[in-house]
Amino acid sequence: MSRFRIADTPFDAANLRAELLDDRVGGYASFEGWVRNHNADRAVLGLRYEAYAALAQAEGERVIGEALDKFAVLDARCVHRVGDLAIGELAVWVGVSAAHRDAAFAACRYIIDEVKARVPIWKHERYAEGDAGWLHPEP
C-alpha cells in the first residue's frame, strides 16, 4: 500500500483520514496546504505543480518511512497535487495517527517539511503582472 501519492485530480481529505483510524489511535494530526493568492508580496493568480513522478513517489515513501521509524506513530499518509490549481484549491495533505498527540504533531510537521525540501515537485506560479516563476525547493 502506498502511503505517499501524487494526484492529478482533487482528492477528499476525509477519505484519507478514515484510512488512518483504528482502535489504537488516540491522536490524529493533519496539515492541509492550499493555493494562496500571494507570495513574497506578489499577487498570484494560480499555479501549476509538476513532478518527476517515479522519483517523487520513491522519495515521498522514504520520508514517510523515516517518520514512522523516528516517531511513535501508527500510520501516516501524504498526497500532493500536480497540474493546474486555482486559488483556494487543496495542494497537499498530510495525516498522521498515533496513540498520543505529541507524536502525531511531530511526525506531521516532519513529513510536510521533508516533502517540501526533498521531493521533486516544482511550483510554477502565475502572477497578476503577467509573468510567472518556478519555485523549489523550500529551504
Side-chain angles (χ1 to χ4, degrees):
M1 167 196 29
S2 258
R3 289 188 165 104
F4 180 86
R5 259 189 27 226
I6 298 290
D8 58 3
T9 58
F11 53 86
D12 182 8
N15 288 338
L16 294 166
R17 178 183 176 273
E19 293 177 19
L20 296 174
L21 301 179
D22 68 38
D23 290 343
R24 300 171 299 157
V25 173
Y28 164 81
S30 67
F31 171 81
E32 294 183 359
W34 303 306
V35 178
R36 63 181 179 266
N37 68 356
H38 67 283
N39 186 27
D41 297 325
R42 297 191 71 189
V44 173
L45 300 178
L47 56 80
R48 177 175 183 76
Y49 281 107
E50 293 187 11
Y52 181 166
L55 185 55
Q57 180 68 39
E59 191 63 19
E61 290 287 347
R62 193 169 3 268
V63 166
I64 292 177
E66 291 167 6
L68 293 173
D69 290 343
K70 222 174 152 88
F71 304 96
V73 298
L74 300 169
D75 209 352
R77 300 280 191 284
C78 179
V79 180
H80 202 300
R81 283 284 306 275
V82 293
D84 292 314
L85 281 77
I87 303 303
E89 281 194 80
L90 181 58
V92 61
W93 178 88
V94 177
V96 178
S97 60
H100 302 283
R101 69 180 176 271
D102 287 343
F105 281 125
C108 189
R109 177 65 184 249
Y110 178 84
I111 292 167
I112 191 59
D113 287 350
E114 293 299 308
V115 164
K116 288 298 183 179
R118 294 169 36 193
V119 175
I121 299 171
W122 299 273
K123 179 169 38 173
H124 188 244
E125 291 183 330
R126 294 184 309 277
Y127 303 111
E129 294 90 355
D131 61 331
W134 289 98
L135 297 103
H136 182 84
E138 293 182 11

